[in-house]
C-alpha cells in the first residue's frame, strides 16, 4: 500500500517532467557543456536555457544564478563569502536561533575563528522581531542571515523588513536568506526582499536531490567556492551536473506556473487539517499554524514524538517530529520558542504537498486520535 506522505518539508517526489528532463540530459544531451563539438554546444545551450528558467522562477537575472549541489552548500557558501568580503570591516554576524543547521554550523565555525555571532530568539509564534535585529546591528556587522520560511514551524521571518533596516541604518552588512522552504511556496523575488544572497534547493520543489542554486546579486564581488576549470563564471568549477540542473529547471517552470493555485489549495488544506486534528484529538496543541501554506507544527503533550512517528509509520503515514536533519535529536527551533517540555517532547511537523487530499487528512486525524488511545503517555 502506498504510504500517505505528509513530510514535503523534508523532501518531495521528483515530478515526472523533471525526471524526463534529467533522463534526456543523461541519454540524449549528454555532452560536456565545455566541449566545442555539436553535442557539447547543444548541452551548453540547454544549460543556458535551464539557468534562464531558474532565474525566471526566482525573478532575477540569469547571470545572478549559480548552480549548487543543494541548500547546505548554498548556505555554507553564502556565510563564508559574506565573512570574506567583510573581513576588513568587522567580525560580527547576526542570525536567528531558529535557522537550519546549514546556517548555524558555519556561524559556529566562524565563532571559533574569532567572530561574534548574535542569535536572535523568536517569540512563541516562531518569528523574530525586526526591533531585535536593529538593536543588535553594529558598525562591524558584516552579515545578517535570516531564513524566509522556517522549516519546522512554517513561520515567515521578516526578511524584507530586515533589508529595510539595513538600508535605513546605512549598514554595509550583506543580507542572506535561506529561502529553501519559501521557494515556489510563497511569492517573492530577491530584489523585493532586498537580499544580496539567497539559497534554494531542488529536492524541496520536485527536482532531484543534489541540485540547487545560489542567487548572487549583480555587482557583488564573489570569490570561488571551487577552483579548477572555470565553470559557473569561475566561481564553482567542475563539469556541470546537467541532469540535476535540467530537472531543477523543469520543476521551477512547473512550480512558477502553479504557484498561485498551489498556495491557495494548500492554505485551505492546512486550515482544514488543523481543525480536523483538534476535533479528533482532545488535548492536541497547535504550536504553530505557520504563515507558509504547507507547514504546521502540532503537539501531543505527554506522547513522545519519536514513538508517535514510528507508530504512524506502521499505519502507513509519513511525517516527522521536526527537521529530518535532526536525526531524532531534540529540535533547537522548538527549544528557542520557549515551549514547555511536555509540548516540546510531543512535537509533530505536518507538511503538505499539492497531491495531498482532505480524505488523507481525515485518515491522519483519525490515526492521531487512535495513537493517544493505544500508546502509553510518558511516565505511565
Amino acid at each position: 500500500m502506498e504510504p500517505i506522505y505528509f513530510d514535503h518539508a523534508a523532501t518531495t517526489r521528483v515530478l515526472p517532467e523533471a525526471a524526463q528532463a534529467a533522463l534526456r540530459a543523461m541519454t540524449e544531451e549528454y555532452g560536456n557543456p565545455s566541449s566545442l563539438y555539436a553535442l557539447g554546444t547543444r548541452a551548453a545551450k540547454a544549460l543556458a536555457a535551464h539557468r534562464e528558467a531558474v532565474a525566471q522562477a526566482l525573478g532575477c537575472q540569469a547571470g545572478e544564478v549559480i548552480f549548487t549541489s543543494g541548500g547546505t552548500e548554498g548556505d555554507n557558501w553564502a556565510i563564508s563569502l559574506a565573512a570574506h568580503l567583510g573581513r576588513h570591516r568587522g567580525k560580527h554576524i547576526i542570525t536567528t536561533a531558529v535557522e537550519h543547521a546549514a546556517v548555524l554550523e558555519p556561524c559556529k565555525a566562524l565563532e571559533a575563528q574569532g567572530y561574534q555571532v548574535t542569535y536572535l530568539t523568536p517569540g512563541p509564534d516562531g518569528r523574530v522581531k525586526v526591533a531585535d535585529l536593529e538593536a543588535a546591528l553594529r558598525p562591524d556587522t558584516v552579515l545578517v542571515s535570516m531564513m524566509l520560511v522556517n522549516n519546522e514551524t512554517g513561520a515567515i521571518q521578516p526578511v524584507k523588513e530586515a533589508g529595510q533596516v539595513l538600508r535605513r541604518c546605512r549598514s554595509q552588512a550583506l543580507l542572506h536568506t535561506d529561502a529553501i522552504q519559501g521557494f515556489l511556496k510563497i511569492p517573492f523575488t530577491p530584489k523585493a526582499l532586498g537580499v544580496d544572497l539567497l539559497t534554494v534547493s531542488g529536492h524541496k520543489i520536485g527536482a532531484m536531490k543534489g541540485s540547487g542554486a545560489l542567487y548572487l546579486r549583480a555587482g557583488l564581488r564573489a570569490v570561488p567556492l571551487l577552483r579548477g576549470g572555470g565553470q559557473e563564471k569561475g566561481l564553482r568549477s567542475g563539469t556541470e551536473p546537467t541532469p540535476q540542473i535540467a530537472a531543477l529547471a523543469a520543476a521551477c517552470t512547473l512550480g512558477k506556473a502553479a504557484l498561485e493555485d498551489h498556495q491557495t489549495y494548500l492554505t485551505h488544506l492546512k486550515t482544514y487539517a488543523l481543525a480536523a486534528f483538534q476535533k479528533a484529538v482532545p488535548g492536541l496543541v497547535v504550536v504553530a499554524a505557520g504563515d507558509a501554506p504547507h507547514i504546521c507544527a502540532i503537539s501531543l503533550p505527554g506522547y513522545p514524538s519519536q514513538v508517535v512517528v514510528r507508530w504512524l509509520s506502521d499505519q502507513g503515514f509519513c511525517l516527522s517530529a521536526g527537521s529530518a536533519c535532526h536525526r531524532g535529536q531534540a529540535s533547537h527551533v522548538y527549544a528557542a520558542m520557549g515551549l514547555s517540555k511536555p509540548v516540546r517532547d510531543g512535537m509533530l511537523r505536518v507538511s503538505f504537498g499539492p497531491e495531498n487530499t482532505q480524505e488523507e487528512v481525515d485518515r491522519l486525524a483519525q490515526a492521531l486520535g487512535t495513537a493517544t488511545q493505544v500508546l502509553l503517555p510518558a511516565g505511565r
Side-chain angles (χ1 to χ4, degrees), residues 326-357:
H326 291 320
R327 296 182 181 273
Q329 300 300 312
S331 166
H332 66 282
V333 173
Y334 302 144
M337 291 169 63
L339 303 176
S340 68
K341 190 174 187 305
V343 170
R344 201 165 63 235
D345 290 347
M347 290 297 304
L348 298 170
R349 180 186 68 182
V350 185
S351 49
F352 306 93
E355 63 271 27
N356 286 133
T357 65

Short mmCIF file of all heavy atoms in Angstrom, two decimals, residues 326-357:
data_model
loop_
_atom_site.label_atom_id
_atom_site.label_comp_id
_atom_site.label_asym_id
_atom_site.label_seq_id
_atom_site.Cartn_x
_atom_site.Cartn_y
_atom_site.Cartn_z
N HIS A 326 17.67 16.58 12.01
CA HIS A 326 17.92 16.37 13.45
C HIS A 326 18.25 14.91 13.76
O HIS A 326 18.86 14.62 14.78
CB HIS A 326 16.70 16.79 14.27
CG HIS A 326 16.45 18.27 14.28
ND1 HIS A 326 17.45 19.19 14.37
CD2 HIS A 326 15.29 18.98 14.21
CE1 HIS A 326 16.93 20.41 14.36
NE2 HIS A 326 15.63 20.30 14.25
N ARG A 327 17.76 13.99 12.92
CA ARG A 327 18.03 12.56 13.13
C ARG A 327 17.66 12.11 14.54
O ARG A 327 18.41 11.41 15.22
CB ARG A 327 19.50 12.23 12.84
CG ARG A 327 19.90 12.45 11.39
CD ARG A 327 21.33 12.07 11.16
NE ARG A 327 21.72 12.31 9.78
CZ ARG A 327 21.55 11.44 8.78
NH1 ARG A 327 20.98 10.28 9.03
NH2 ARG A 327 21.93 11.73 7.56
N GLY A 328 16.49 12.55 14.99
CA GLY A 328 15.99 12.10 16.29
C GLY A 328 16.45 12.94 17.47
O GLY A 328 16.02 12.70 18.59
N GLN A 329 17.31 13.93 17.22
CA GLN A 329 17.78 14.79 18.31
C GLN A 329 16.74 15.88 18.59
O GLN A 329 15.91 16.20 17.75
CB GLN A 329 19.12 15.42 17.94
CG GLN A 329 20.22 14.40 17.66
CD GLN A 329 20.51 13.51 18.85
OE1 GLN A 329 20.67 13.99 19.97
NE2 GLN A 329 20.57 12.20 18.61
N ALA A 330 16.82 16.45 19.79
CA ALA A 330 15.88 17.50 20.18
C ALA A 330 16.02 18.70 19.25
O ALA A 330 17.12 19.06 18.83
CB ALA A 330 16.15 17.92 21.62
N SER A 331 14.91 19.33 18.92
CA SER A 331 14.90 20.45 17.99
C SER A 331 15.32 21.74 18.68
O SER A 331 14.73 22.15 19.68
CB SER A 331 13.49 20.62 17.40
OG SER A 331 13.37 21.87 16.77
N HIS A 332 16.32 22.41 18.12
CA HIS A 332 16.74 23.71 18.65
C HIS A 332 15.69 24.77 18.37
O HIS A 332 15.59 25.76 19.09
CB HIS A 332 18.08 24.12 18.02
CG HIS A 332 18.00 24.39 16.54
ND1 HIS A 332 17.97 23.38 15.60
CD2 HIS A 332 17.91 25.56 15.85
CE1 HIS A 332 17.89 23.91 14.39
NE2 HIS A 332 17.84 25.22 14.51
N VAL A 333 14.88 24.57 17.33
CA VAL A 333 13.83 25.53 16.99
C VAL A 333 12.77 25.57 18.08
O VAL A 333 12.40 26.64 18.58
CB VAL A 333 13.18 25.17 15.63
CG1 VAL A 333 11.98 26.08 15.35
CG2 VAL A 333 14.21 25.30 14.51
N TYR A 334 12.27 24.40 18.47
CA TYR A 334 11.22 24.35 19.49
C TYR A 334 11.76 24.81 20.85
O TYR A 334 11.04 25.44 21.63
CB TYR A 334 10.66 22.94 19.60
CG TYR A 334 10.08 22.42 18.30
CD1 TYR A 334 10.21 21.08 17.93
CD2 TYR A 334 9.42 23.27 17.42
CE1 TYR A 334 9.68 20.60 16.74
CE2 TYR A 334 8.90 22.81 16.23
CZ TYR A 334 9.03 21.48 15.89
OH TYR A 334 8.52 21.01 14.71
N ALA A 335 13.03 24.52 21.13
CA ALA A 335 13.63 24.99 22.38
C ALA A 335 13.72 26.51 22.39
O ALA A 335 13.44 27.15 23.41
CB ALA A 335 15.02 24.36 22.55
N ALA A 336 14.11 27.10 21.25
CA ALA A 336 14.25 28.56 21.17
C ALA A 336 12.92 29.27 21.33
O ALA A 336 12.88 30.42 21.77
CB ALA A 336 14.90 28.95 19.85
N MET A 337 11.82 28.58 21.00
CA MET A 337 10.49 29.19 21.12
C MET A 337 9.99 29.21 22.56
O MET A 337 8.93 29.78 22.84
CB MET A 337 9.50 28.43 20.22
CG MET A 337 9.76 28.63 18.74
SD MET A 337 8.80 27.49 17.71
CE MET A 337 7.11 27.98 18.10
N GLY A 338 10.72 28.58 23.47
CA GLY A 338 10.34 28.59 24.88
C GLY A 338 9.18 27.69 25.22
O GLY A 338 8.46 27.94 26.19
N LEU A 339 8.99 26.62 24.43
CA LEU A 339 7.88 25.70 24.70
C LEU A 339 8.14 24.87 25.95
O LEU A 339 9.29 24.57 26.28
CB LEU A 339 7.68 24.77 23.50
CG LEU A 339 7.43 25.44 22.15
CD1 LEU A 339 7.34 24.38 21.05
CD2 LEU A 339 6.16 26.27 22.19
N SER A 340 7.09 24.48 26.64
CA SER A 340 7.25 23.61 27.80
C SER A 340 7.77 22.25 27.35
O SER A 340 7.58 21.85 26.19
CB SER A 340 5.91 23.44 28.53
OG SER A 340 5.00 22.70 27.71
N LYS A 341 8.38 21.52 28.27
CA LYS A 341 8.97 20.24 27.90
C LYS A 341 7.92 19.24 27.40
O LYS A 341 8.17 18.55 26.39
CB LYS A 341 9.75 19.65 29.07
CG LYS A 341 10.59 18.42 28.69
CD LYS A 341 11.45 17.96 29.84
CE LYS A 341 12.40 16.85 29.40
NZ LYS A 341 11.71 15.71 28.76
N PRO A 342 6.76 19.10 28.05
CA PRO A 342 5.76 18.15 27.51
C PRO A 342 5.34 18.48 26.08
O PRO A 342 5.20 17.58 25.25
CB PRO A 342 4.60 18.28 28.49
CG PRO A 342 5.21 18.76 29.76
CD PRO A 342 6.31 19.68 29.34
N VAL A 343 5.14 19.76 25.80
CA VAL A 343 4.76 20.16 24.44
C VAL A 343 5.92 19.91 23.48
O VAL A 343 5.73 19.38 22.38
CB VAL A 343 4.34 21.65 24.41
CG1 VAL A 343 4.18 22.13 22.97
CG2 VAL A 343 3.05 21.84 25.17
N ARG A 344 7.11 20.27 23.92
CA ARG A 344 8.30 20.09 23.07
C ARG A 344 8.53 18.62 22.75
O ARG A 344 8.87 18.25 21.62
CB ARG A 344 9.51 20.69 23.77
CG ARG A 344 10.67 21.04 22.87
CD ARG A 344 11.65 21.95 23.58
NE ARG A 344 12.27 21.35 24.74
CZ ARG A 344 12.27 21.85 25.96
NH1 ARG A 344 11.64 22.98 26.20
NH2 ARG A 344 12.88 21.24 26.96
N ASP A 345 8.35 17.78 23.74
CA ASP A 345 8.60 16.34 23.54
C ASP A 345 7.55 15.68 22.64
O ASP A 345 7.81 14.63 22.06
CB ASP A 345 8.64 15.62 24.89
CG ASP A 345 9.86 15.98 25.72
OD1 ASP A 345 10.79 16.59 25.15
OD2 ASP A 345 9.87 15.66 26.92
N GLY A 346 6.37 16.30 22.54
CA GLY A 346 5.31 15.70 21.74
C GLY A 346 5.14 16.31 20.36
O GLY A 346 4.12 16.09 19.70
N MET A 347 6.15 17.06 19.89
CA MET A 347 6.02 17.82 18.66
C MET A 347 5.96 16.93 17.41
O MET A 347 6.68 15.94 17.29
CB MET A 347 7.19 18.78 18.50
CG MET A 347 7.17 19.94 19.49
SD MET A 347 5.76 21.04 19.29
CE MET A 347 5.93 21.50 17.60
N LEU A 348 5.09 17.32 16.50
CA LEU A 348 5.00 16.69 15.18
C LEU A 348 4.92 17.79 14.13
O LEU A 348 4.23 18.79 14.33
CB LEU A 348 3.74 15.82 15.07
CG LEU A 348 3.62 14.64 16.04
CD1 LEU A 348 2.22 14.05 15.95
CD2 LEU A 348 4.68 13.58 15.74
N ARG A 349 5.66 17.60 13.04
CA ARG A 349 5.56 18.53 11.92
C ARG A 349 4.78 17.85 10.80
O ARG A 349 5.13 16.75 10.37
CB ARG A 349 6.94 18.93 11.40
CG ARG A 349 6.87 19.89 10.21
CD ARG A 349 8.23 20.16 9.61
NE ARG A 349 8.81 18.99 8.96
CZ ARG A 349 10.00 18.96 8.39
NH1 ARG A 349 10.76 20.03 8.42
NH2 ARG A 349 10.45 17.85 7.83
N VAL A 350 3.74 18.52 10.33
CA VAL A 350 2.95 18.04 9.19
C VAL A 350 3.20 19.02 8.05
O VAL A 350 2.95 20.22 8.20
CB VAL A 350 1.45 17.97 9.52
CG1 VAL A 350 0.69 17.35 8.35
CG2 VAL A 350 1.21 17.17 10.80
N SER A 351 3.70 18.51 6.94
CA SER A 351 3.96 19.40 5.79
C SER A 351 3.31 18.82 4.55
O SER A 351 3.47 17.64 4.23
CB SER A 351 5.46 19.60 5.59
OG SER A 351 6.18 18.38 5.57
N PHE A 352 2.55 19.67 3.89
CA PHE A 352 1.64 19.24 2.82
C PHE A 352 2.23 19.48 1.43
O PHE A 352 3.08 20.35 1.24
CB PHE A 352 0.32 20.01 2.93
CG PHE A 352 -0.33 19.93 4.27
CD1 PHE A 352 -0.09 20.89 5.24
CD2 PHE A 352 -1.19 18.88 4.59
CE1 PHE A 352 -0.68 20.83 6.48
CE2 PHE A 352 -1.79 18.80 5.84
CZ PHE A 352 -1.53 19.78 6.78
N GLY A 353 1.71 18.72 0.46
CA GLY A 353 2.01 18.92 -0.94
C GLY A 353 0.72 19.00 -1.73
O GLY A 353 -0.35 18.63 -1.23
N PRO A 354 0.79 19.48 -2.97
CA PRO A 354 -0.43 19.66 -3.77
C PRO A 354 -1.20 18.37 -4.00
O PRO A 354 -2.41 18.41 -4.25
CB PRO A 354 0.11 20.20 -5.10
CG PRO A 354 1.44 20.78 -4.77
CD PRO A 354 1.99 19.95 -3.66
N GLU A 355 -0.53 17.22 -3.88
CA GLU A 355 -1.22 15.95 -4.12
C GLU A 355 -1.96 15.44 -2.89
O GLU A 355 -2.76 14.50 -2.99
CB GLU A 355 -0.22 14.89 -4.59
CG GLU A 355 0.86 14.53 -3.58
CD GLU A 355 2.09 15.39 -3.69
OE1 GLU A 355 1.98 16.55 -4.14
OE2 GLU A 355 3.17 14.92 -3.33
N ASN A 356 -1.75 16.04 -1.74
CA ASN A 356 -2.49 15.63 -0.54
C ASN A 356 -3.95 16.01 -0.66
O ASN A 356 -4.30 17.01 -1.28
CB ASN A 356 -1.89 16.26 0.71
CG ASN A 356 -0.57 15.65 1.14
OD1 ASN A 356 0.38 16.36 1.44
ND2 ASN A 356 -0.51 14.33 1.16
N THR A 357 -4.82 15.22 -0.02
CA THR A 357 -6.27 15.43 -0.11
C THR A 357 -6.90 15.54 1.28
O THR A 357 -6.28 15.15 2.28
CB THR A 357 -6.94 14.25 -0.85
OG1 THR A 357 -6.78 13.05 -0.05
CG2 THR A 357 -6.32 14.04 -2.22
#
